[in-house]
Amino acid sequence: MEEGEKGKGCSEGMGMGKPPIPSNTLAIAIDGHRLALSLPCNKTLVPHQSLVNTKVAADLQTLDSAFTPVIRSGAWADIGFRPSMEDVFLCVDNFMTDYGIKNTVIDGPNAFYGVFDGHGGKHAADFACSHLPRFIVEDEDFPKEIETVVASAFLQTDTAFAEACSSDATLASGTTALAALVIGRLLLVANAGDCRAVLCRRGKAIEMSRDHKPICSKEKKRIEASGGYVYDGYLNGQLNVARSLGDWHMEGMKGRDGGPLSAEPELMTTQLTEEDEFLIIGCDGIWDVFRSQNAVDFARRRLQEHNDPVMCSKDLVEEALKRKSGDNLAVVVVCFQSEPPQNLIAPRGRVQRSFSGEALRELQSFLDSFVN
């Protein structure tokens, strides 16, 4: 099973097995699909100390205030070697227009991209893919207070899914979630779990998210402070991620007053410049077999060949399968330029290096030992 995606829409059967509308939401119909809008919610969020909004600095010498990203995106997913598909993705190049918001004053693009890696079923992944972007775009403070809005939307989605599960226990499941928004020149990435976003800045991989594994020191401290524990790399001996949406059915993980499993995202932001070429976001099946720089190098070569983000996404998935990734696979590639990445010319070193006579003799002695 595989699929490519250029436009809006959650992948993998969004019309099947939809959770019921939570009691505190308003149901509407858009493009023939029944969606849920949240009623006004409490915005007084108090982030945990480990949840720091990290700003990735751009090189001020190359920062061009006139630069406007040219957005092109594509995605691809494959069931891989698993018996069922639980990964979901979403690509929306014209976020506000596609979600019915008019009279925007944003100068430049406004786009939303997301990947959701479900576990214990795909109900939570489908629910998050359908609800998270709408909780964001319908917030009266969006896009002015974008960081607060996005963090709040993650928690609203988690709470709404808890209410849906209370009405239908068969929906019980969980999902990691990563959302990337491009608003003008601002790139914001919000992550809860072990999906990953990597920015290519003139060939260099810039990680825009941190994998939330229970064994990470910051996550372990937060977990233990919340009454949980880490056993053999697993949260409470059950879950191999420290943050997710859903999983309300798992005893000792979440409660109305908190718990060791957090749905609050970690945010990273940066101002895009002419040196920023593309962004890769993918579920952990991709990162099991790709290091961040390796993925950027691979994708960059493919974009230089065909300059097609859909084909590039497919190339990444197919390469992950060749490398024997054992998980579902989903990846989104977002290009910020209309032209393919340029060839990079490595500067010639000023100092020429050579072997010393002693080193050459030692090398010769070493090679002679094989002959003898």
Side-chain angles (χ1 to χ4, degrees), residues 28 30 35-37 99 130-139:
I28 66 171
I30 292 184
L35 299 174
L37 299 183
Y99 278 79
S130 179
H131 289 69
L132 178 62
R134 187 155 295 282
F135 281 135
I136 293 172
V137 80
E138 292 291 336
D139 193 301

Side-chain angles (χ1 to χ4, degrees), residues 297-307 312 315 319:
D297 292 341
F298 180 90
R300 202 170 189 275
R301 289 193 299 269
R302 292 299 187 268
L303 289 171
Q304 286 176 333
E305 293 174 5
H306 50 58
N307 197 28
C312 184
D315 292 339
E319 180 65 19

Side-chain angles (χ1 to χ4, degrees), residues 204-221:
K204 182 180 179 181
I206 308 293
E207 292 188 347
M208 293 296 299
S209 65
R210 183 171 61 91
D211 299 350
H212 296 139
K213 295 292 190 181
I215 59 174
C216 295
S217 58
K218 286 185 178 181
E219 294 303 310
K220 187 176 181 181
K221 289 179 181 179

Side-chain angles (χ1 to χ4, degrees), residues 112-117 132 154 176-180 188-198 208-210 279-282 287:
F112 177 97
Y113 306 98
V115 289
F116 308 88
D117 187 348
L132 178 62
F154 269 68
T176 61
L178 186 146
L188 179 146
V189 174
N191 181 49
D194 57 3
C195 296
R196 190 184 303 173
V198 181
M208 293 296 299
S209 65
R210 183 171 61 91
L279 178 76
I280 304 172
I281 65 174
W287 308 111

Side-chain angles (χ1 to χ4, degrees), residues 82-99:
R82 291 293 182 90
S84 60
M85 183 62 169
E86 296 177 335
D87 285 3
V88 182
F89 63 79
L90 179 64
C91 296
V92 190
D93 290 338
N94 298 292
F95 187 30
M96 296 185 186
T97 300
D98 288 358
Y99 278 79

Side-chain angles (χ1 to χ4, degrees), residues 7 151 207 268 324 347:
E207 292 188 347
M268 291 192 184
K324 306 301 182 183

Side-chain angles (χ1 to χ4, degrees), residues 147-213:
E147 295 169 13
T148 301
V149 168
V150 171
S152 174
F154 269 68
L155 298 183
Q156 289 180 74
T157 302
D158 191 43
T159 300
F161 187 65
E163 295 190 8
C165 290
S166 68
S167 301
D168 184 355
T170 64
L171 300 176
S173 56
T175 185
T176 61
L178 186 146
L181 289 88
V182 181
I183 306 296
R185 295 172 57 218
L186 175 70
L187 169 63
L188 179 146
V189 174
N191 181 49
D194 57 3
C195 296
R196 190 184 303 173
V198 181
L199 175 67
C200 174
R201 177 166 288 164
R202 204 168 185 270
K204 182 180 179 181
I206 308 293
E207 292 188 347
M208 293 296 299
S209 65
R210 183 171 61 91
D211 299 350
H212 296 139
K213 295 292 190 181

